[in-house]
């Protein structure tokens, strides 16, 4: 069944879910704290929670090649929307989950969305999770997003997570927590761009509890104007495991970036590495692109897009 959405809603859906119109497969679309449309599939059941606002998504064991969409749209000024979404992914699955929130705020009041997502990934399952946050509007009201992501990986489970926030969000505090069982793997990529006076903080706590568990954390960020960013990941190795944390940031104008990568080893067989690099765009890069016919502004934009991609 088609959903009657405004042009603003359609644009926000396209931004946060990379879709035009209604997606195929299982989906749950919310607008201003209320359900707009929902569809379950034969293998994926979406049901309203009975204890908290939000949904339970149950993916049957052996489900492969299916996608779940759970975008949220906020256009109501002064709204603080809090939602709890829990995913139960059965064993031997291979699925994609696309989530995120788009805020359109033209007022002087703040609009806020806080999404708490919990993933229970079954043995031998492979989950790809993409979350995009986006803000727009000419009003002076803040656009606030404070996501919490909890990941529990069973033995040999693999989870690839891509967290994206590019422009438009006034402030955000992101908390990511993960526990990994034996031979499980987490690949977490974070992409962030802030500008004006925006503030963004990313906190992570990842515990490697089983032998041969591994995690790779990659943060790529650009801070422009007077914006501020804090990247605060912690990887804890409690067994024979591998962990790598990498933070790369480009700083421009009067922006400030703080990177505090941390590692803790509670096992002599834990192999943990962290690194951080913060710098400006190299002048020779811009010069080279300008010799190819780009303006300085175009060259700078090309470099930033390539860096974040």
């Amino acid at each position: 069944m088609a959903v009657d959405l405004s042009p603003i809603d359609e644009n926000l859906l396209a931004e946060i879910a990379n879709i035009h119109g209604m997606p195929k497969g299982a989906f749950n679309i919310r607008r201003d704290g209320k359900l707009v449309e929902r569809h379950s599939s034969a293998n994926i059941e979406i049901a309203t929670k009975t204890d908290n606002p939000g949904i339970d998504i149950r993916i049957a064991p052996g489900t492969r090649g299916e996608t779940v969409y759970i975008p949220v749209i906020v256009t109501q000024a002064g709204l603080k929307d809090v939602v709890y979404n829990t995913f139960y992914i059965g064993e031997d699955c291979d699925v994609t989950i696309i989530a995120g929130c788009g805020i359109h705020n033209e007022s002087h009041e703040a609009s806020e969305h806080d999404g708490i997502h919990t993933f229970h990934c079954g043995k031998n399952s492979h989950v790809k999770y993409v979350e995009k946050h986006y803000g727009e509007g000419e009003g002076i009201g803040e656009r606030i997003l404070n996501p919490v992501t909890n990941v529990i990986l069973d033995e040999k489970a693999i989870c690839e997570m891509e967290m994206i926030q590019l422009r438009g969000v006034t402030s955000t505090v992101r908390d990511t927590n993960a526990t990994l069982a034996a031979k499980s793997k987490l690949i977490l990529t974070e992409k962030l761009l802030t500008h004006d006076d925006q503030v963004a903080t990313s906190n992570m706590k990842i515990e490697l509890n089983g032998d041969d568990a591994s995690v790779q954390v990659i943060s790529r960020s650009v801070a422009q104007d007077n914006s501020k960013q804090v990247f605060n990941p912690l990887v804890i190795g409690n067994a024979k495991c591998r962990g790598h944390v990498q933070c790369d940031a480009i700083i421009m104008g009067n922006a400030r970036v703080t990177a505090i990568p941390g590692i803790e080893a509670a096992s002599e067989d834990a192999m943990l590495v962290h690194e951080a690099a913060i710098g400006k765009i190299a002048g020779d890069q811009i010069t080279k692109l300008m010799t190819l016919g780009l303006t300085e502004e175009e060259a700078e934009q090309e470099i930033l897009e390539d860096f974040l991609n």
Side-chain angles (χ1 to χ4, degrees):
M1 180 176 65
V3 177
D4 184 16
L5 295 173
S6 71
I8 287 177
D9 295 336
E10 293 286 3
N11 289 339
L12 290 174
L13 277 176
E15 286 289 347
I16 63 179
N18 294 322
I19 55 176
H20 297 277
M22 296 301 298
K24 296 180 180 179
F27 60 84
N28 189 93
I29 299 176
R30 295 173 66 253
R31 182 182 190 272
D32 294 331
K34 298 179 180 179
L35 176 66
V36 173
E37 182 77 1
R38 174 183 298 165
H39 175 71
S40 297
S41 70
N43 298 314
I44 302 172
E45 179 189 10
I46 303 176
T48 302
K49 281 185 176 291
T50 58
D51 53 349
N52 285 310
I55 53 178
D56 289 326
I57 302 96
R58 299 184 184 277
I59 301 177
T63 300
R64 294 180 173 274
E66 295 199 37
T67 301
V68 184
Y69 298 85
I70 56 165
V72 172
I73 303 167
V74 176
T75 59
Q76 179 181 328
L79 176 69
K80 181 176 181 178
D81 181 36
V82 181
V83 63
Y84 297 81
N85 296 329
T86 306
F87 295 82
Y88 300 94
I89 299 117
E91 296 184 359
D92 300 308
C93 290
D94 191 347
V95 295
T96 299
I97 299 166
I98 297 178
C101 177
I103 295 180
H104 183 93
N105 189 352
E106 296 281 356
S107 79
H108 64 280
E109 297 182 84
S111 297
E112 180 175 347
H113 173 74
D114 299 340
I116 298 91
H117 291 177
T118 301
F119 299 84
H120 299 271
C121 302
K123 185 177 179 180
N124 292 319
S125 281
H126 180 196
V127 178
K128 181 176 181 181
Y129 176 67
V130 180
E131 179 181 87
K132 185 172 185 180
H133 287 160
Y134 175 79
E136 64 180 22
E138 299 298 328
I140 63 172
E142 292 185 313
R143 296 176 291 274
I144 303 169
L145 291 163
N146 295 323
V148 177
T149 306
N150 303 306
V151 182
I152 301 98
L153 296 183
D154 288 348
E155 185 178 349
K156 296 182 180 180
I158 300 174
C159 184
E160 300 178 60
M161 313 193 80
E162 187 172 5
M163 316 290 205
I164 305 168
Q165 181 176 303
L166 304 179
R167 296 189 177 277
V169 178
T170 308
S171 69
T172 185
V173 177
R174 177 187 294 279
D175 290 309
T176 304
N177 307 291
T179 58
L180 280 69
K183 299 182 180 179
S184 63
K185 183 177 184 179
L186 174 65
I187 303 170
L188 200 163
T189 303
E190 187 175 70
K191 300 178 183 180
L192 174 67
L193 188 150
T194 55
H195 60 98
D196 294 336
D197 296 311
Q198 296 172 356
V199 179
T201 299
S202 178
N203 303 310
M204 298 180 186
K205 183 179 180 181
I206 300 166
E207 298 182 73
L208 305 171
N209 295 329
D211 284 347
D212 297 318
S214 65
V215 63
Q216 181 180 25
V217 177
I218 300 173
S219 172
R220 286 184 170 265
S221 69
V222 176
Q224 299 176 322
D225 305 321
N226 297 307
S227 64
K228 297 179 181 179
Q229 299 179 6
V230 178
F231 180 59
N232 186 30
L234 174 63
V235 173
I236 303 172
N238 293 319
K240 176 187 174 185
C241 60
R242 300 181 307 280
H244 181 225
V245 180
Q246 177 182 340
C247 171
D248 295 319
I250 291 177
I251 189 168
M252 306 171 67
N254 297 314
R256 178 179 297 179
V257 176
T258 303
I260 318 169
I263 52 177
E264 292 183 8
S267 168
E268 64 180 2
D269 294 318
M271 298 177 59
L272 308 176
V273 178
H274 71 71
E275 53 185 314
I278 303 172
K280 64 180 182 179
I281 297 176
D284 59 345
Q285 291 178 293
I286 293 179
T287 301
K288 182 177 180 179
L289 289 175
M290 290 177 67
T291 63
L292 299 176
L294 299 182
T295 65
E296 183 175 355
E297 185 176 290
E298 290 171 339
E300 185 178 274
Q301 186 62 32
E302 184 74 20
I303 292 169
L304 295 181
E305 290 180 0
D306 183 67
F307 175 76
L308 290 173
N309 289 329

